Amino acid sequence: MKALDRKLLRDLWHMRGQVFAIALVLAAATATFVLSLGVHHSLVETRDAYYARNNFADVFASMTRAPRSLVDRVAAIPGVRKAEGSIIQYATLDFPGRPEPARALINSVNEQGRTELNRLAMRSGRLPQPGAPGEVVADESFVKANDLQLGSRIAALIYGKRQVLTIVGTGLAPNYIYALPPGDILPDDRRFGIFWMGEKALEAATDRSEAINSLALTLERDAHAADVIRQVDVMIEPYGGTGAYGREDHPSHAFLDNELVQLDAMTRVIPPVFLLVATFLVYIVLGRMIQTERTQIGLVKAFGYTNAEVGWHYLKFALVIAVLGAALGCASGVWMGRAMTRIYAEYYRFPFLSYELDPRVFLGAAGLSFGAAALGALGGMRAALTLTPAVAMSAPAPPVYRRGVVEAVGRRGGFSAVGHMIVRHIARWPGRSAITVFGVGLSVGLLFATTQFLDSSRAMLDGFFFRAQRQDLMVSFIEPRSEAALLALAQLPGVLRVEPSRAVAVKLSHENRVERAAIESAPRGGRLSAHIDVDGIEIELPANGLMLSRQLADKLGVRSGDQVQVEELGGRRSRLSLPVARVIEEFVGERAYAGEATLLGITRDAAPVGSALLRIDPARRDDIMTKLKDMPMVLGVSERDATFIRFEDMIDENINTMLAFYISFAGAIAVGVVYNSARILFSERAHELATMRVLGYHRREVATVLLGELALLVVLAVPLGCVLGNGLARVMTTMFSSDLFRLPFAPEPASYGRAVLIVLAATAFTAMLVARRVMHLDMVRVLKGRD
Amino acid sequence: MNFHGEDLRKIYRTGETEVQALRGVDLDIEAGEVLVLLGPSGSGKSTLLNILGGLDRPSSGRLLSGDLDLTALDDTDLTRFRRDRVGFIFQFYNLIPSLTAEENVRLVTDIAENPMEAGCALELVGLTERRDHYPAQLSGGEQQRVAIARAIAKKPGVLLCDEPTGALDSATGVRVLETLEAANRETGATLVIITHNAGIAAMADRVFHFLDGRIARIERNGSRTPPGRISW
């Protein structure tokens, strides 16, 4: 080994604390990179493999009832590779002893296993046998959540008829990776399941002999989806078709896509912040190290080493840190990725979801780590390369302190000598002090920006659950009903108020943009629902025209005052042009609203009631639930408070895991920055501190000089961190918003406090580590060192 | 302030090597005395000075200052001893570069029990004019005088000087020695000076000659030569 390399190893060992602290920051960067990219990669790979293996369709359509022969006609459309028809039917399930009804979405499946599109992946048991009417395959999550087994029997109400279902198998399908109960915003494995029943059996159960109500298509590689959709629309129109749509509008696909967008956003925002800090740290530490090694640099240059050799020596120092950071980061990124994947596996129903890593992710992570370290090293090295040997070997000029602004403040403040030492040192090295302030500020900012998502979620919850939804129960009907259904509900003992919730499926178009949507409406003077915008303001439905959510308006490219073409899907298929009366900033989904009169203008008859909102007497809740369960028209009941609790649980489970990760990441930055600053400070001031000890200062008093400077910098960093965090949080909130959700930016003041406290704790811990060195300062040796 | 030491020994261990810096030193130093320690490098002068000043502890032996047993003090009490009674002066001044001359003195007056005014200490060393200058703006001799002002400001019982003129030219060195002597005369502080310069021995009451960790010889001067008449 060359002598210079031996020196490198010893330097690394000697500075191991600082090396490790920088590596920690680099590790945090690579970990977030590996974590989010790895999870992203795993989800995409798993999804794509699952889609390919089980033939997830490209185009979907549903209708009221169509002859099976329609399938062949659709299959003949140019560009369609394969078309399949099936029956999809909601059913109400009755679990004895449970007042609230559970729901199932039953899909028909060929008993011989000939269903090819959205093919069922069997997890256990077998397919239903032909001619065995009650046999079903149930989705795995539902079976687990309800403690069911193969052979379990469940009473069901299908299409108005009671039937006992027997579970003969469990399975999953690519069109139900994420399955939401109708009208709900969260999955509910206990109360909502996906079932598959033999084709013949479901035909019989729903009186649809040789008929279908759903189509799935795969397309040729070069097919144009929009053309096919247009042709399918024409074909299904006579059968009550509600418009064909592609994967991007498929609920399961869209939810998964939403998650991928968020993971992608995380990769774009967080690792760069860490890399920036790490680059600065390498820059400072290496710059400082080179300064203390001036003489040695002059010496080796005098011996004939070239600038390139000296530069490479110090670059290697940085690269070793990069290797350490990348290795640590990759390992923890993989570990965290596994934990995240386990969470995803609970919410997304994949037959397999393993955390798999593309070697390119590691290469990318290592590249980032190396790049940041090398960039920092080059900055720090510049001085070493420009020094001539003669200058380098002479002692550096003593630091010159001057009076400045800080001085004036100090005089006015009546600082003690120790106080002057602190502020003058900060003012003497403004760049370095600024980096410490910036680094600690960033860790506060990052922590705030990530933890404020808790506030976002809660603000969204508050708006969505408590202010917008004022009902206790939402009863959804098997088929849209007339006003009479409301009367039937109002007569149940304990029901205090009933209001209809109407919705009409439409296609909205503006210029060449087309979007499917449901225009929702509530009665004028209704008390059980409200429209709350992101600022928490209640918005009235417009008397004329449509109110569109911001996401939908943006997709259509319209502003308030523009006209949109409305085409009713199903019903009378009326077409008309309506003005956009208002665009509302909302949290959830792409939605459209209109007053009841406008809705009537579209449907021309009284618009059917899709669901009803109920306010009830809590004491009679179980009775009402039991009664609702027995009403054939009722498909399902969602309870606002129960959904709220599930949302809270989800936040507790998922967000807390994420929070733990981010707290450790931000902690890593704080520790890295503070440890390095403190060590540099200590090495620069060791002589002064020893002098103070000689003069009779106690250890604690001497430590004040060191800790005081750090504390002052951290105090400066706190407001900066809050400002940085606010900005970063706004960017992240925007980036995390998708077509499905818009997060409000609504941080609680306490979130700033929490971020600050966590960083202060990490800072204090680190400072204490260095302060211990002050406690063990050997006065005699330090003073001799100079002489 | 007086000292009484018996069989003082100091062993430094670094790794496997053991260095005997003091090999049994007995001494008595009287209050107000001017003492010069002479001897080659590594003969134990600085070790003894550090022990006298409470910067270090002997490995064995006993050291009394008045009725205070320095060898029995814990770290806090040793710090207090230095804070209130000992003034140190080093070859390279050890001033804090970020503090002005006056603030360097205040570093001591801020904590000492019964100090003189910082300005007063600077006046004693003739640096009133330079009180607001930083160390980098002062000459070597001026820096050393600031160090002396800092040492005498606490009104110490003993001034311990390790090569106080080692880094100075002769004229400046004389000036510094005069300042030290004046401090001894006016405050009654015991003055202990380490030097390689045998000429300086003439200003002492007694001279301890060090060799191999022991006091090889003690020389008593009939009368003290003023620093101005010392042959450099």
Side-chain angles (χ1 to χ4, degrees):
Chain A
M1 187 187 277
K2 284 186 189 164
L4 219 49
D5 288 333
R6 213 173 274 278
K7 169 182 171 325
L8 177 71
L9 288 181
R10 292 200 183 129
D11 286 347
L12 283 164
W13 178 247
H14 179 65
M15 297 178 73
R16 57 192 178 275
Q18 284 174 270
V19 165
F20 183 72
I22 303 173
L24 211 59
V25 178
L26 279 172
T30 43
T32 45
F33 185 79
V34 168
L35 163 68
S36 41
L37 226 59
V39 174
H40 191 277
H41 176 78
S42 302
L43 278 176
V44 170
E45 290 284 304
T46 306
R47 179 193 68 180
D48 291 349
Y50 188 24
Y51 279 1
R53 200 185 295 177
N54 291 54
N55 295 327
F56 182 52
D58 295 311
V59 172
F60 310 83
S62 53
M63 58 233 87
T64 322
R65 180 194 185 97
R68 193 164 275 284
S69 59
L70 176 68
V71 177
D72 291 336
R73 279 159 51 209
V74 168
I77 295 174
V80 173
R81 180 186 292 170
K82 176 143 188 75
E84 271 182 8
S86 63
I87 300 170
I88 298 180
Q89 178 66 47
Y90 276 109
T92 312
L93 307 178
D94 184 8
F95 285 95
R98 256 203 251 165
E100 65 275 11
R103 283 169 285 182
L105 186 60
I106 308 183
N107 296 252
S108 67
V109 62
N110 182 281
E111 298 90 338
Q112 271 85 36
R114 288 198 200 119
T115 302
E116 284 185 22
L117 301 189
N118 304 326
R119 200 168 57 217
L120 188 55
M122 291 299 293
R123 308 288 288 161
S124 68
R126 57 167 176 84
L127 282 172
Q129 279 176 343
E135 292 190 347
V136 291
V137 171
D139 83 64
E140 215 176 14
S141 328
F142 180 80
V143 168
K144 271 190 203 148
N146 288 293
D147 289 327
L148 299 170
Q149 290 110 28
L150 295 186
S152 292
R153 292 157 74 84
I154 310 166
L157 187 68
I158 309 171
Y159 212 61
K161 283 180 262 182
R162 300 209 169 274
Q163 201 174 346
V164 173
L165 302 178
T166 309
I167 295 175
V168 296
T170 61
L172 300 166
N175 49 336
Y176 294 112
I177 291 175
Y178 193 78
L180 284 180
D184 239 330
I185 60 164
L186 276 184
D188 186 348
D189 291 339
R190 219 171 107 79
R191 299 214 278 180
F192 179 65
I194 309 293
F195 284 12
W196 290 266
M197 192 186 247
E199 228 161 48
K200 291 292 161 205
L202 195 55
E203 279 183 11
T206 60
D207 295 335
R208 285 192 181 94
S209 178
E210 284 304 309
I212 57 166
N213 67 355
S214 169
L215 272 171
L217 283 66
T218 47
L219 303 181
E220 296 292 353
R221 197 175 288 270
D222 54 354
H224 197 255
D227 288 344
V228 175
I229 286 173
R230 234 184 330 268
Q231 295 182 60
V232 172
D233 277 351
V234 173
M235 285 186 187
I236 63 176
E237 192 180 327
Y239 307 110
T242 50
Y245 54 94
R247 281 184 178 182
E248 69 282 359
D249 287 325
H250 188 276
S252 164
H253 181 85
F255 259 95
L256 194 51
D257 226 38
N258 176 56
E259 193 69 51
L260 293 172
V261 166
Q262 297 192 352
L263 277 172
D264 192 50
M266 194 168 110
T267 324
R268 279 166 206 269
V269 178
I270 298 170
V273 171
F274 284 102
L275 290 171
L276 188 70
V277 175
T279 307
F280 278 132
L281 281 183
V282 173
Y283 172 77
I284 305 180
V285 169
L286 220 61
R288 167 69 200 157
M289 182 178 156
I290 285 166
Q291 211 180 342
T292 56
E293 293 195 349
R294 278 167 63 99
T295 324
Q296 298 175 34
I297 292 168
L299 209 61
V300 293
K301 277 191 178 179
F303 290 158
Y305 279 89
T306 63
N307 272 342
E309 284 164 326
V310 173
W312 175 230
H313 170 70
Y314 287 104
L315 190 62
K316 275 194 279 189
F317 182 86
L319 293 185
V320 171
I321 299 179
V323 170
L324 201 63
L328 210 63
C330 287
S332 48
V334 168
W335 179 76
M336 290 171 175
R338 293 228 164 94
M340 286 280 288
T341 309
R342 272 196 295 277
I343 292 175
Y344 282 120
E346 270 181 44
Y347 286 88
Y348 294 101
R349 303 166 185 191
F350 286 109
F352 51 90
L353 174 57
S354 52
Y355 183 66
E356 277 169 36
L357 274 169
D358 188 339
R360 281 175 300 181
V361 173
F362 286 124
L363 282 180
L368 288 177
S369 177
F370 277 58
L375 204 66
L378 288 176
M381 259 159 35
R382 249 194 358 221
L385 301 185
T386 48
L387 279 180
T388 62
V391 175
M393 279 193 290
S394 60
V400 178
Y401 288 87
R402 287 194 183 83
R403 293 170 193 287
V405 184
V406 183
E407 183 62 42
V409 175
R411 289 208 173 255
R412 205 157 294 166
F415 281 8
S416 66
V418 169
H420 281 301
M421 283 176 75
I422 291 172
V423 292
R424 285 191 193 141
H425 197 261
I426 291 176
R428 177 67 186 78
W429 310 103
R432 194 196 298 153
S433 306
I435 288 171
T436 306
V437 171
F438 184 63
V440 175
L442 266 182
S443 84
V444 171
L446 191 72
L447 196 55
F448 168 76
T450 45
T451 55
Q452 62 85 32
F453 278 117
L454 266 181
D455 303 333
S456 282
S457 315
R458 289 198 194 285
M460 194 173 93
L461 275 188
D462 182 54
F464 191 80
F465 282 105
F466 290 111
R467 305 202 44 212
Q469 303 192 22
R470 296 165 187 181
Q471 82 282 8
D472 297 310
L473 305 179
M474 188 181 86
V475 178
S476 43
F477 301 124
I478 287 190
E479 282 175 335
R481 312 294 290 200
S482 66
E483 299 280 338
L486 301 177
L487 280 176
L489 292 175
Q491 278 163 6
L492 295 177
V495 171
L496 305 177
R497 189 176 176 88
V498 180
E499 282 178 17
S501 170
R502 298 171 206 272
V504 176
V506 294
K507 202 186 263 182
L508 300 175
S509 49
H510 174 70
E511 289 165 358
N512 57 352
R513 305 188 194 195
V514 182
E515 289 295 323
R516 290 159 53 87
I519 300 180
E520 301 166 43
S521 180
R524 182 171 278 277
R527 284 192 230 150
L528 297 186
S529 64
H531 302 285
I532 307 292
D533 73 1
V534 286
D535 297 321
I537 296 165
E538 188 170 340
I539 310 284
E540 284 281 319
L541 284 179
N544 289 307
L546 299 175
M547 178 162 86
L548 303 182
S549 70
R550 165 65 55 205
Q551 284 105 310
L552 187 55
D554 285 350
K555 277 205 159 178
L556 286 168
V558 293
R559 283 184 299 183
S560 102
D562 290 346
Q563 290 282 326
V564 284
Q565 305 305 314
V566 181
E567 180 189 339
E568 187 187 6
L569 294 170
R572 291 172 187 259
R573 308 203 72 91
S574 50
R575 289 162 196 257
L576 66 164
S577 174
L578 285 173
V580 177
R582 166 162 218 156
V583 174
I584 178 175
E585 309 280 339
E586 264 193 330
F587 300 132
V588 181
E590 295 169 12
R591 304 171 73 154
Y593 308 94
E596 283 197 311
T598 312
L599 212 60
L600 189 63
I602 300 170
T603 55
R604 288 187 240 157
D605 294 327
V609 178
S611 53
L613 307 178
L614 271 60
R615 161 104 24 106
I616 61 164
D617 174 1
R620 317 204 56 161
R621 180 245 178 210
D622 285 4
D623 292 345
I624 294 171
M625 285 294 207
T626 312
K627 293 246 165 57
L628 287 173
K629 199 164 69 170
D630 291 336
M631 294 174 98
M633 67 177 182
V634 172
L635 169 61
V637 180
S638 58
E639 277 183 282
R640 188 190 66 168
D641 292 353
T643 313
F644 177 72
I645 290 169
R646 268 186 298 131
F647 214 114
E648 291 258 281
D649 286 349
M650 186 191 76
I651 288 178
D652 284 350
E653 240 177 84
N654 302 0
I655 301 196
N656 285 345
T657 307
M658 290 295 292
L659 277 188
F661 290 166
Y662 283 114
I663 289 173
S664 47
F665 289 150
I669 291 195
V671 169
V673 171
V674 172
Y675 187 77
N676 273 299
S677 308
R679 283 307 307 272
I680 288 176
L681 210 57
F682 179 71
S683 71
E684 275 176 1
R685 304 208 105 163
H687 193 86
E688 293 176 22
L689 303 181
T691 303
M692 289 176 69
R693 289 280 291 133
V694 169
L695 295 179
Y697 277 80
H698 288 290
R699 292 175 200 276
R700 274 174 205 290
E701 293 168 324
V702 171
T704 314
V705 177
L706 193 75
L707 299 183
E709 180 166 340
L710 282 176
L712 196 59
L713 293 177
V714 170
V715 163
L716 292 175
V718 164
L720 175 74
C722 292
V723 173
L724 284 175
N726 186 291
L728 203 60
R730 282 175 196 274
V731 171
M732 284 174 73
T733 306
T734 314
M735 289 183 81
F736 269 53
S737 294
S738 64
D739 295 347
L740 297 174
F741 289 105
R742 254 190 81 154
L743 289 173
F745 178 68
E748 295 282 335
S751 293
Y752 289 103
R754 184 177 44 211
V756 170
L757 281 181
I758 290 172
V759 171
L760 286 185
T763 305
F765 167 75
T766 316
M768 287 306 151
L769 283 184
V770 183
R772 275 181 45 204
R773 289 180 176 264
V774 177
M775 297 299 169
H776 298 117
L777 193 68
D778 182 344
M779 290 173 282
V780 177
R781 228 179 68 192
V782 176
L783 291 178
K784 270 188 177 165
R786 172 86 54 110
D787 302 347
Chain B
M1 202 164 84
N2 65 346
F3 289 93
H4 171 75
E6 291 169 14
D7 195 25
L8 294 171
R9 289 168 188 273
K10 180 70 187 179
I11 298 166
Y12 290 111
R13 285 190 185 81
T14 39
E16 288 171 12
T17 53
E18 204 172 76
V19 178
Q20 294 205 24
L22 288 183
R23 296 164 188 259
V25 169
D26 298 304
L27 56 82
D28 275 294
I29 301 172
E30 288 164 28
E33 190 178 14
V34 176
L35 200 66
V36 164
L37 312 186
L38 271 180
S41 292
S43 59
K45 311 181 296 291
S46 294
T47 305
L48 178 66
L49 196 80
N50 290 340
I51 291 174
L52 290 177
L55 286 180
D56 211 349
R57 283 195 181 82
S59 306
S60 66
R62 196 151 166 259
L63 178 65
L64 300 174
S65 171
D67 49 5
L68 198 63
D69 184 353
L70 294 183
T71 38
L73 295 185
D74 64 8
D75 185 70
T76 311
D77 290 332
L78 266 188
T79 304
R80 183 141 284 284
F81 171 71
R82 289 199 302 275
R83 179 187 281 225
D84 297 330
R85 305 212 199 164
V86 186
F88 278 101
I89 292 144
F90 300 93
Q91 182 178 4
F92 293 104
Y93 333 127
N94 287 330
L95 297 180
I96 307 290
S98 59
L99 297 179
T100 61
E102 184 177 0
E103 288 161 351
N104 261 287
V105 179
R106 268 182 47 207
L107 198 59
V108 164
T109 58
D110 279 350
I111 57 166
E113 210 173 30
N114 181 27
M116 62 176 84
E117 290 264 319
C120 187
L122 282 173
E123 199 184 323
L124 280 178
V125 299
L127 278 178
T128 310
E129 302 289 301
R130 313 283 274 167
R131 60 195 297 162
D132 286 334
H133 287 66
Y134 286 96
Q137 299 165 317
L138 298 172
S139 71
E142 286 171 331
Q143 288 190 55
Q144 191 60 298
R145 275 147 63 204
V146 174
I148 294 171
R150 185 174 68 180
I152 60 177
K154 70 173 75 164
K155 300 182 192 159
V158 61
L159 278 169
L160 300 173
C161 316
D162 197 346
E163 295 272 4
T165 57
L168 304 172
D169 61 68
S170 59
T172 318
V174 166
R175 182 93 205 269
V176 164
L177 291 177
E178 281 173 342
T179 315
L180 286 173
E181 210 238 346
N184 163 262
R185 200 174 51 239
E186 284 160 31
T187 66
T190 310
L191 181 64
V192 182
I193 303 172
I194 288 182
T195 181
H196 279 104
N197 187 338
I200 294 174
M203 70 178 277
D205 294 305
R206 283 192 297 162
V207 183
F208 288 5
H209 292 270
F210 271 77
L211 197 65
D212 294 334
R214 292 192 182 90
I215 300 174
R217 183 160 64 88
I218 298 177
E219 188 184 338
R220 184 177 286 277
N221 292 328
S223 63
R224 284 173 14 187
T225 311
R229 284 170 37 210
I230 285 174
S231 57
W232 203 256

